[in-house]
Amino acid sequence: MVSKKLEKYKDYFKGKTYNITTFGCQMNEHDSERISYILEDLGYVYEEDRKKADFILFNTCLVRENAELKLYGQVSSLKKIKESHPEKIIAVSGCMMQTEVARQVIIDKHREVDIIFGTKNINSLSDLIFRYLETGERVVDISTDNVKDDFVKYNTPNHFQAYVNIMTGCDNFCSYCIVPESRGREESRRPSSIIEEVEYLVNQGYKEITLLGQNVNSYGNKADFNHTFPELLEKVAQIPNLKRLRFTTSHPKDLSDELIKVIKRNDNICKYFHLPLQSGSDKVLKDMNRKYTQEKYLERARKLKEEIPEIAISTDIIVGYPTETEEDFEQTLKVCKEVGYDTAFTFKYSPRPKTRAAKLTPIDDDIVQARFDKLLDLLYPIFNEKNQTYIGKTVEVLLESESKNNPEVLTGRTDDYKLVHVKADKSLIGEFVKVKITGNTSFTISGDLVE
């Protein structure tokens, strides 16, 4: 069907350009890569300037309120452009569109949007565009079915790093989280399909692969095949010429000893572990429905460090959950001191529609801000101290891009996910280099190329 329609509209797509703005997590970034492939397969060419593009798409996130507000503002900024250039197509996709409340805001208040689709309709994008071109009327297509994410083609920002979905959805139902609503229930891909995709990417020259899932540790739990995440990770790590293997995200309640052993014995599995805490208080963790205690969390963090001393650990922390008291918050600080995170993603609680926590009375903004500032005052010196230990060491770095502030400086990551700045020629982007570390901040390390 697509090929017949494409033949009909092939002249239309000649010279047409597109732009995608992505909000949110790596899952959304990977979805945008799939969308990019579909658009370019139709004939679109990427345009960096959003306002100049013929097809403008926003791939949305609903996890944080800030991303939602940004979306509304950026879509509104296109109203006048759409009025003066009605031939432009504006589309909104992603997690926000999977929820009725957010979707209705776009439908009712943003008539400039022509195409609306969800996370499970990406493969139908070509047909949605054809429907719009034929009718000139808004197209809304949202699927609630759990669609298995088999190996599909996509465009990556570079040709040495790629994301691979191993599962979709989530069954944890944390009280503050909208993911089960926006991404659906948990479903795992077959190991053979995942391995086929990674082998394909490695044969195309990709050097670093990141396996994606809302909770990779529960991979295979509901599947009709007998395969755990440690078993999958081990098999992927054995693929010839795969230089680096990462994964995200892990849920502490499902972190097994076997997974730690697999990371330890495979050199190409990066020694970096993202272990979301959210809160250090047992009471708040119970209210959040996190299904672990502070003691259990700390035991898992200690086990990681005992078995893999060189491992770097990062985390997520929510400040100001509605039931959090000052004593609860102090327990979060206690855990941060004990674990000694290499970095952390910190957030002030924001209520999400259709979550249990949204029904609770929020804490005063000033109190939340004071706690948030106190948390950062604790964390930043820890990050700085961790990074200082790299001074004088020579590390291997996969160079990823030019620095935003200085084109003569390239940035990249170490095995343990440290962000490195080094003066180097841009021809080295995508290559592994040795860097002797000479300086640091709380968030980066920097040094000189080792010839």
Side-chain angles (χ1 to χ4, degrees):
M1 179 65 72
V2 172
S3 60
K4 290 182 180 179
K5 292 286 182 67
L6 184 55
E7 181 65 26
K8 177 180 178 181
Y9 287 102
K10 64 179 181 180
D11 291 335
Y12 168 84
F13 291 111
K14 287 180 179 178
K16 290 290 189 295
T17 59
Y18 76 96
N19 177 277
I20 300 175
T21 299
T22 307
F23 300 91
C25 67
Q26 292 98 330
M27 284 273 194
N28 284 27
E29 291 177 21
H30 189 44
D31 285 348
S32 290
E33 292 172 355
R34 293 166 58 194
I35 291 169
S36 175
Y37 180 87
I38 292 169
L39 293 174
E40 293 191 9
D41 197 43
L42 289 174
Y44 283 103
V45 176
Y46 180 73
E47 167 57 58
E48 189 168 352
D49 188 336
R50 179 198 299 159
K51 294 181 179 181
K52 292 180 179 179
D54 299 296
F55 186 95
I56 303 168
L57 183 138
F58 297 91
N59 188 12
T60 63
C61 172
L62 197 59
V63 172
R64 303 292 169 198
E65 187 178 18
N66 283 346
E68 188 176 351
L69 296 176
K70 282 183 182 178
L71 181 275
Y72 294 141
Q74 293 188 21
V75 171
S76 293
S77 71
L78 297 177
K79 283 183 179 179
K80 290 184 178 180
I81 292 178
K82 179 68 175 177
E83 288 172 1
S84 58
H85 297 279
E87 74 281 1
K88 288 181 181 287
I89 300 175
I90 300 175
V92 179
S93 67
C95 294
M96 276 181 65
M97 297 304 97
Q98 287 292 147
T99 61
E100 185 177 354
V101 173
R103 183 168 67 248
Q104 205 61 45
V105 171
I106 294 295
I107 291 173
D108 293 342
K109 297 184 178 181
H110 296 277
R111 296 303 306 172
E112 66 273 18
V113 176
D114 305 302
I115 299 175
I116 298 169
F117 63 102
T119 58
K120 300 168 187 178
N121 304 89
I122 292 173
N123 291 346
S124 302
L125 177 56
S126 296
D127 285 327
L128 303 185
I129 294 173
F130 294 140
R131 280 166 55 186
Y132 175 75
L133 292 176
E134 289 179 345
T135 66
E137 297 180 358
R138 171 182 277 173
V139 175
V140 179
D141 195 353
I142 306 294
S143 172
T144 57
D145 296 331
N146 216 3
V147 180
K148 183 154 285 191
D149 182 20
D150 286 326
F151 177 18
V152 294
K153 292 184 178 180
Y154 43 86
N155 288 342
T156 57
N158 58 54
H159 297 289
F160 51 89
Q161 294 171 307
Y163 295 126
V164 173
N165 281 347
I166 67 169
M167 59 196 301
T168 58
C170 184
D171 287 352
N172 286 312
F173 292 95
C174 297
S175 63
Y176 54 84
C177 185
I178 195 68
V179 167
E181 173 78 13
S182 61
R183 288 279 179 179
R185 302 300 296 272
E186 187 176 285
E187 184 177 6
S188 300
R189 288 177 60 189
R190 292 193 172 277
S192 58
S193 176
I194 296 166
I195 291 169
E196 176 192 5
E197 183 170 345
V198 176
E199 288 177 337
Y200 168 82
L201 291 165
V202 172
N203 289 335
Q204 294 297 309
Y206 286 83
K207 301 173 182 178
E208 181 178 286
I209 303 296
T210 301
L211 305 181
L212 293 180
Q214 300 297 339
N215 175 18
V216 293
N217 292 346
S218 63
Y219 171 82
N221 281 0
K222 292 168 53 181
D224 58 1
F225 52 82
N226 185 22
H227 227 78
T228 66
F229 180 60
E231 290 170 336
L232 173 69
L233 192 65
E234 184 99 68
K235 286 186 176 181
V236 175
Q238 300 306 312
I239 292 174
N241 300 316
L242 175 55
K243 304 297 184 183
R244 277 187 183 175
L245 178 58
R246 300 188 186 276
F247 58 88
T248 194
T249 294
S250 288
H251 196 297
K253 73 179 178 64
D254 298 315
L255 171 52
S256 66
D257 288 347
E258 182 56 31
L259 176 56
I260 296 173
K261 291 176 184 176
V262 170
I263 298 169
K264 181 178 180 179
R265 65 174 170 251
N266 287 278
D267 290 339
N268 63 345
I269 299 179
C270 293
K271 304 307 183 276
Y272 165 79
F273 205 102
H274 187 66
L275 193 65
L277 171 66
Q278 308 303 4
S279 173
S281 161
D282 286 350
K283 177 177 72 68
V284 175
L285 288 171
K286 184 176 181 180
D287 292 343
M288 289 178 166
N289 195 35
R290 290 292 289 172
K291 300 184 178 71
Y292 56 83
T293 62
Q294 179 192 114
E295 181 182 1
K296 173 66 174 178
Y297 182 94
L298 288 173
E299 185 276 326
R300 292 289 79 191
R302 291 189 200 105
K303 185 72 172 181
L304 277 167
K305 291 189 172 186
E306 287 168 3
E307 293 294 324
I308 314 170
E310 70 274 28
I311 201 158
I313 300 177
S314 63
T315 197
D316 294 335
I317 298 172
I318 295 173
V319 176
Y321 185 81
T323 63
E324 179 186 81
T325 64
E326 200 64 37
E327 291 73 20
D328 294 323
F329 175 66
E330 289 296 327
Q331 290 300 305
T332 297
L333 299 182
K334 172 182 177 290
V335 174
C336 291
K337 291 175 185 175
E338 182 161 341
V339 176
Y341 296 110
D342 289 78
T343 192
F345 301 90
T346 55
F347 310 93
K348 290 181 284 187
Y349 170 77
S350 61
R352 300 288 75 210
K354 293 193 175 182
T355 61
R356 286 190 288 114
K359 300 174 184 178
L360 302 173
T361 303
I363 299 173
D364 183 82
D365 289 343
D366 290 341
I367 294 175
V368 176
Q369 186 62 53
R371 290 178 189 171
F372 190 76
D373 292 341
K374 189 174 182 180
L375 175 65
L376 298 187
D377 287 344
L378 171 71
L379 288 174
Y380 287 179
I382 294 174
F383 302 161
N384 187 66
E385 185 178 345
K386 288 274 186 178
N387 287 345
Q388 279 181 344
T389 65
Y390 285 76
I391 293 179
K393 294 180 180 179
T394 297
V395 296
E396 185 176 62
V397 180
L398 177 57
L399 295 176
E400 298 177 4
S401 64
E402 294 180 359
S403 167
K404 294 179 181 179
N405 299 322
N406 185 350
E408 294 184 355
V409 173
L410 301 185
T411 65
R413 298 277 181 179
T414 61
D415 174 283
D416 55 0
Y417 210 63
K418 295 293 181 182
L419 182 61
V420 181
H421 289 188
V422 59
K423 190 173 183 179
D425 189 88
K426 64 181 181 181
S427 63
L428 290 175
I429 291 175
E431 301 296 330
F432 286 102
V433 298
K434 299 290 186 181
V435 179
K436 185 172 182 180
I437 303 304
T438 58
N440 76 283
T441 68
S442 293
F443 307 102
T444 66
I445 55 179
S446 57
D448 302 315
L449 279 180
V450 176
E451 300 297 336

